[in-house]
Amino acid sequence: MTSKLTSRFVRQAHRLPFLLVAGASISLALQLESGYAQNARVRLALTTGGLKVDEAAGANTFNIGTASGSKLGAPAADKTGLSGVTPINTNGGETLGVTSDATVKGKLTTTDAVAGPILEKGSQVNVKAFGAVGDGVTNDTEAFNSALTSLATGGGTCVVPKGTYLISASGITSRVKSGVHLMGEGREASILKIAAMPTGTLIWGDGDNWSVENLTLDMQDYFPPRLHNYSAIACKGNNWRVANCSILKIGRIGIGVAGGNNWSIEGNFITKTTPVQTLNQSILVTKYAGQGATNARIVDNVCDGSGILFWGFYSTIARNRISNAGFGSGIATGQVANCHTMQVIGNTCSGGRGFDENHTWVSGFELWAPDSVIANNTAYDNGSSGIIVGGQNCVVKGNLSYNNGVQTGGYGFSARYQNSTVNASHSTFIGNSAYDTRYPGRGVTQTYGYHEQPGLKFIKHIGNKYDHNKIGPASH
């Protein structure tokens, strides 16, 4: 066996650079289990095409293109659970005007903004100094607009004290620009509540070195029409951070990201009250002007009712907990043209249910990015398969997948073949476990521990446990 493995590795010497990177990434996986670690990575020249954000409309309106959901035998496409929509232009790219809502259930009043002080670089302002009330009844949109505008040139911190701030359907149209930090006093303390069906993004981050932290955003379960995928927070630029926020009752998109380098989304709590089978994501990361995200980190987030979809390169998705997704997968990555060289480490996806608009049963993980490390993840109690791998040259190590296939009789692990470039060939599965805890009794749903589609080549298995499933350990 040793000689066979040795000769195989010699024959595939062209894979040595990836194996070295994979080894380093597995080492990082162990670090991530005990605490956050960030790797330095090389920036990539990216290709154009695929999922983009329309420049005129901004990051809150997504031109999804023609991607489709993942299913057996589907035609070649980036199968990450998306279907086509028409791109939108909003006022020719101009800033949306603030809607002066007259009433919300007869209780909403409006106030004009209060002129703020002249600021020096690095100044700190308080939204209440610009007229915000925070009583949950008064419309505080203009106060937020004025406070953020006052920092747009020199940067600084915009403080949001404890209170509930009602925001117009158009959202806060003054953006969190470069060097600006929008900071609340903590979750459940500083609350921004949308007043009506969104006609724009609630908070826009646009530039470099900005942050949104310690806020609660209440989106009130409003579900915008398909052509208006407004997010609670839209993000664009480099070196930014969205952290320690609660984004509750999202409609279609919780946090929407357009490309960018060296940014992080960490420690957020995102909920969708009722999972649905049409396009929605807690975190959606797409391209911007043909450029994908690089060196990104999506870490320690909790998402209930909706999942994470990522298109980008050299990035990390780690220690997130996803439950009850109703569309696509708990965590999904794009295919080779839109996503590669990922670290998907220490995440848990459970309770996914439904047959979505792309004719796809919801799975735990759907990972199409090649040259990736998929380590120490857990998938259980999902409607379809637990962990789907569709990218070449991946290392799949130490993952656990059990009690899946609740709706379709899916697999613990599924190695996919879509075409000659989009498939799981040359991947290595090491020390993974897949089983059904109800075996051999009644109610067993996970059919095989491992399933492999025809056409795959040079997949290696080392020390895996695929026993105790409904039909058998493995199916090829």
Side-chain angles (χ1 to χ4, degrees):
M1 175 63 72
T2 301
S3 62
K4 289 182 179 179
L5 285 175
T6 301
S7 62
R8 176 169 290 178
F9 275 105
V10 170
R11 290 195 304 270
Q12 298 176 30
H14 66 280
R15 295 181 57 205
L16 182 59
F18 167 69
L19 293 173
L20 294 174
V21 173
S25 297
I26 292 171
S27 176
L28 174 62
L30 299 176
Q31 297 178 51
L32 282 168
E33 286 301 298
S34 60
Y36 176 73
Q38 178 182 343
N39 272 0
R41 305 177 184 88
V42 180
R43 185 163 183 167
L44 180 70
L46 306 176
T47 60
T48 59
L51 187 58
K52 303 183 182 72
V53 176
D54 186 70
E55 168 71 17
N60 61 329
T61 302
F62 296 97
N63 174 12
I64 306 257
T66 57
S68 64
S70 170
K71 60 178 181 176
L72 241 57
D78 198 332
K79 306 172 81 172
T80 46
L82 296 176
S83 59
V85 299
T86 304
I88 297 296
N89 290 331
T90 305
N91 294 340
E94 298 176 358
T95 302
L96 287 169
V98 175
T99 302
S100 237
D101 300 297
T103 61
V104 173
K105 297 183 180 179
K107 297 181 179 179
L108 174 64
T109 60
T110 61
T111 58
D112 293 328
V114 176
I118 297 175
L119 303 168
E120 297 189 7
K121 186 173 182 179
S123 295
Q124 177 174 295
V125 301
N126 189 311
V127 293
K128 289 195 171 182
F130 291 81
V133 178
D135 61 2
V137 176
T138 304
N139 189 325
D140 291 319
T141 307
E142 278 300 316
F144 276 83
N145 283 331
S146 296
L148 289 172
T149 297
S150 72
L151 296 171
T153 301
T157 301
C158 181
V159 176
V160 183
K162 181 178 180 179
T164 298
Y165 302 85
L166 206 59
I167 305 297
S168 296
S170 57
I172 300 168
T173 56
S174 293
R175 302 187 180 189
V176 180
K177 301 296 286 185
S178 295
V180 175
H181 307 280
L182 182 62
M183 305 282 290
E185 291 187 356
R187 287 181 185 168
E188 315 309 327
S190 303
I191 302 169
L192 278 64
K193 185 175 182 179
I194 197 73
M197 176 67 74
T199 60
T201 286
L202 180 55
I203 296 175
W204 254 100
D206 183 6
D208 299 333
N209 304 303
W210 57 266
S211 69
V212 175
E213 303 181 56
N214 304 324
L215 294 170
T216 287
L217 309 182
D218 184 354
M219 303 307 292
Q220 298 221 76
D221 292 319
Y222 289 117
F223 196 64
R226 180 56 182 260
L227 300 183
H228 302 278
N229 298 321
Y230 300 120
S231 41
I233 304 176
C235 309
K236 189 168 69 172
N238 306 312
N239 305 309
W240 53 262
R241 182 172 185 251
V242 175
N244 304 318
C245 291
S246 290
I247 307 175
L248 309 178
K249 304 177 184 178
I250 67 169
R252 288 195 181 272
I253 310 297
I255 301 174
V257 182
N261 178 62
N262 194 37
W263 52 258
S264 66
I265 297 173
E266 55 188 279
N268 301 287
F269 178 64
I270 307 173
T271 68
K272 183 170 182 58
T273 303
T274 304
V276 296
Q277 280 67 60
T278 55
L279 173 64
N280 67 95
Q281 296 290 331
S282 288
I283 301 172
L284 174 62
V285 182
T286 69
K287 288 184 174 181
Y288 177 72
Q291 302 293 300
T294 55
N295 306 318
R297 298 167 298 281
I298 301 177
V299 180
D300 290 326
N301 301 283
V302 176
C303 307
D304 182 44
S306 188
I308 297 172
L309 172 59
F310 184 92
W311 286 23
F313 311 89
Y314 300 108
S315 296
T316 297
I317 302 173
R319 299 197 311 262
N320 302 283
R321 288 183 289 150
I322 315 299
S323 58
N324 306 313
F327 177 84
S329 298
I331 295 177
T333 60
Q335 295 179 358
V336 60
N338 301 304
C339 192
H340 63 67
T341 322
M342 297 291 299
Q343 296 175 122
V344 182
I345 297 171
N347 304 280
T348 299
C349 293
S350 64
R353 292 289 189 279
F355 188 65
D356 69 21
E357 64 182 352
N358 296 309
H359 306 291
T360 303
W361 291 101
V362 176
S363 58
F365 295 78
E366 191 173 341
L367 307 174
W368 296 90
D371 300 326
S372 296
V373 171
I374 302 163
N376 302 334
N377 300 287
T378 300
Y380 67 92
D381 189 38
N382 293 289
S384 182
S385 296
I387 300 177
I388 296 170
V389 179
Q392 295 187 13
N393 306 323
C394 290
V395 173
V396 185
K397 181 180 184 296
N399 301 282
L400 173 62
S401 187
Y402 66 95
N403 293 13
N404 296 291
V406 174
Q407 294 177 294
T408 64
Y411 317 110
F413 295 85
S414 179
R416 294 289 181 88
Y417 181 95
Q418 186 179 122
N419 56 47
S420 61
T421 57
V422 180
N423 63 74
S425 293
H426 302 283
S427 292
T428 302
F429 289 72
I430 308 171
N432 301 286
S433 296
Y435 55 84
D436 197 308
T437 61
R438 296 156 295 194
Y439 178 89
R442 300 177 63 182
V444 179
T445 59
Q446 188 164 286
T447 54
Y448 290 97
Y450 171 84
H451 176 262
E452 184 175 302
Q453 288 187 326
L456 295 172
K457 300 178 180 179
F458 305 116
I459 292 183
K460 291 181 286 296
H461 295 272
I462 304 171
N464 300 291
K465 296 180 179 179
Y466 297 141
D467 294 325
H468 296 170
N469 292 280
K470 185 175 182 178
I471 299 177
S475 171
H476 295 81

